[in-house]
Amino acid sequence: MQKLYANQLPAQLQQGLAPCYLIFGEEPLQKLEAIEAIRHAAKPQGFLERLSFSADAQFDWQQLDNELSAMSLFAERRLIELELAQAKPPAAVNEQLKQLAAKLHPDIVLVLHGSRSFSEVSKLAWFKQLSEQAVQVAIYPLDERQQLQWLQQRARQLQLQLSSDALNLLQQHCAGNLLAARQELEKLALTHPDSRVDADTFSRFLADHSSYNVFQLTDSVLAGHSAEAAHRLQRLLEQDTEPVIIAWQLHKELSILQQLAQAEQQGQLSAQFKQLAIWPKRQPLYQQALQRLSRGWQNYLLQELAAFDRLFKAGQLTNTTLALLHLVTLFCHPVAKTFALQQYDAD
């Protein structure tokens, strides 16, 4: 049947319910709201009974089979939700899932959902069998532009009047965490229903719910956005990301930059982008970094990263956070060499 993104599902539901919905992806709020939208659409169409199952390692598949084949009480039709709780179900589970397509009938709507990436799960045999009768809902994390659009739309739905600086503040503090953003907007709608909210008002009660990974940190670093990079670094450390993982990723990006710098000098930058499998969307980030960081500065960065590695492994760093912030700053823009990890390494 159809393949949709999360924001396209409401329009499909207005046209009628499908026998089955396959909802998979790594962003939890969009997945939750997609399931809630199906529940809301199912009730007026007589699907008044809702059953929810979680297929973990101890799940009794016979119980699900019984519910799929049983007639609903009082002629009520059923909405059956099955969460695939295991990241990669074993072969026996895949065999059970293959049988579901033959068990669909007009008295049930089956919703299968999970946090596994849509691109992975859509390749499986059971998914392909069910997809012939199912609406597929692909859930993807939002990039920064999409997230800002989502915040603006959600604020309008709640009849909130947010200034642009308040929206930017919310985006920064809830980056990568739409559930936290929804909660903050709903609280704001209760406390400020009839007034325009600016960043100063918002900051008085806004908690920092942002969630990042090391790749988002390196994006900020390559772009030279030092304040943003410092914020993302702090949140990564608060999320208990190992410092050595952060340093390793920075070292990897520096190695890529050095290869690109050499290729640029030889007039082969485009070929090197292709060889390193750097997509066109990310190429401007590296080009910005190449314009900002000379070959000599890249060598200095390499020495500082090596010093961090030796000091960290020897347990000689008194402030790991400060040392990582120093490295991130060096990536963002050249600064005076008044402080260097190498001088402590030499001591």
Side-chain angles (χ1 to χ4, degrees):
M1 291 183 73
Q2 294 174 285
K3 177 184 174 182
L4 307 174
Y5 296 111
N7 62 348
Q8 298 172 315
L9 179 60
Q12 187 279 324
L13 291 171
Q14 291 179 358
Q15 300 171 8
L17 287 170
C20 181
Y21 289 86
L22 303 172
I23 307 174
F24 287 89
E26 301 162 303
E27 202 293 304
L29 179 63
Q30 293 180 82
K31 184 166 74 75
L32 173 62
E33 291 190 338
I35 295 170
E36 289 176 343
I38 295 170
R39 292 172 184 170
H40 181 74
K43 284 187 178 181
Q45 299 189 44
F47 293 87
L48 303 179
E49 190 175 356
R50 179 168 66 87
L51 301 171
S52 296
F53 301 98
S54 180
D56 55 19
Q58 289 76 42
F59 181 60
D60 182 3
W61 286 91
Q62 186 60 49
Q63 182 184 8
L64 175 64
D65 190 58
N66 292 340
E67 296 296 347
L68 288 171
S69 58
M71 291 297 293
S72 298
L73 295 175
F74 310 111
E76 291 178 357
R77 295 191 285 179
R78 305 179 165 209
L79 176 66
I80 298 178
E81 301 169 3
L82 177 62
E83 178 185 14
L84 301 186
Q86 296 173 283
K88 293 188 177 181
V93 172
N94 289 326
E95 288 302 316
Q96 293 284 353
L97 291 169
K98 286 179 183 179
Q99 300 174 27
L100 292 179
K103 298 175 182 178
L104 298 178
H105 58 80
D107 284 337
I108 66 166
V109 169
L110 179 63
V111 178
L112 265 69
H113 62 97
S115 57
R116 191 172 179 181
S117 75
F118 185 88
S119 58
E120 288 183 8
V121 75
S122 62
K123 298 174 184 177
L124 301 177
W126 64 262
F127 187 100
K128 293 178 180 178
Q129 289 177 355
L130 280 169
S131 65
E132 296 178 4
Q133 305 177 65
V135 169
Q136 308 163 46
V137 184
I139 306 294
Y140 295 107
L142 304 184
D143 61 28
E144 291 186 7
R145 179 185 59 81
Q146 293 169 332
Q147 187 183 50
L148 183 58
Q149 291 176 343
W150 184 92
L151 291 173
Q152 292 169 332
Q153 181 182 31
R154 190 56 56 97
R156 285 195 297 269
Q157 291 174 358
L158 294 169
Q159 298 183 332
L160 276 170
Q161 301 178 49
L162 298 183
S163 66
S164 59
D165 57 354
L167 276 170
N168 291 332
L169 180 62
L170 177 61
Q171 182 179 26
Q172 179 183 11
H173 282 260
C174 295
N177 193 339
L178 292 184
L179 180 58
R182 184 179 78 167
Q183 291 171 343
E184 294 296 347
L185 285 170
E186 289 174 349
K187 286 192 297 182
L188 197 64
L190 292 173
T191 57
H192 297 74
D194 300 313
S195 58
R196 183 171 175 80
V197 179
D198 59 18
D200 289 338
T201 303
F202 210 1
S203 63
R204 283 197 282 270
F205 72 95
L206 185 63
D208 192 346
H209 299 290
S210 54
S211 176
Y212 296 105
N213 56 46
V214 290
F215 305 107
Q216 291 168 311
L217 170 64
T218 53
D219 281 354
S220 296
V221 163
L222 291 171
H225 298 157
S226 55
E228 182 180 74
H231 177 254
R232 293 184 177 186
L233 172 64
Q234 184 64 38
R235 291 296 291 145
L236 279 171
L237 294 173
E238 290 172 359
Q239 293 163 207
D240 295 324
T241 307
E242 289 291 335
V244 67
I245 293 176
I246 298 172
W248 181 87
Q249 189 64 36
L250 291 174
H251 189 278
K252 179 181 177 182
E253 296 299 338
L254 178 59
S255 175
I256 292 173
L257 281 173
Q258 290 182 312
Q259 293 177 67
L260 292 173
Q262 183 175 356
E264 185 178 42
Q265 192 175 31
Q266 298 170 351
Q268 300 176 351
L269 185 58
S270 296
Q272 190 66 33
F273 275 135
K274 185 175 181 180
Q275 183 175 343
L276 294 172
I278 299 174
W279 291 14
K281 184 178 179 180
R282 288 184 53 79
Q283 290 176 13
L285 288 174
Y286 290 98
Q287 289 172 330
Q288 290 175 49
L290 288 172
Q291 292 173 5
R292 195 173 64 249
L293 307 175
S294 67
R295 296 288 295 275
W297 191 259
Q298 292 175 29
N299 291 332
Y300 175 66
L301 254 173
L302 182 62
Q303 295 166 10
E304 286 292 272
L305 282 163
F308 175 90
D309 184 62
R310 289 190 294 269
L311 290 167
F312 182 79
K313 289 178 178 178
Q316 296 176 353
L317 282 176
T318 57
N319 192 327
T320 302
T321 300
L322 183 60
L324 284 171
L325 181 59
H326 166 70
L327 293 173
V328 164
T329 302
L330 295 182
F331 265 93
C332 289
H333 49 79
V335 296
K337 299 179 183 179
T338 54
F339 170 84
L341 291 171
Q342 297 167 68
Q343 68 191 50
Y344 295 95
D345 191 27
D347 294 343

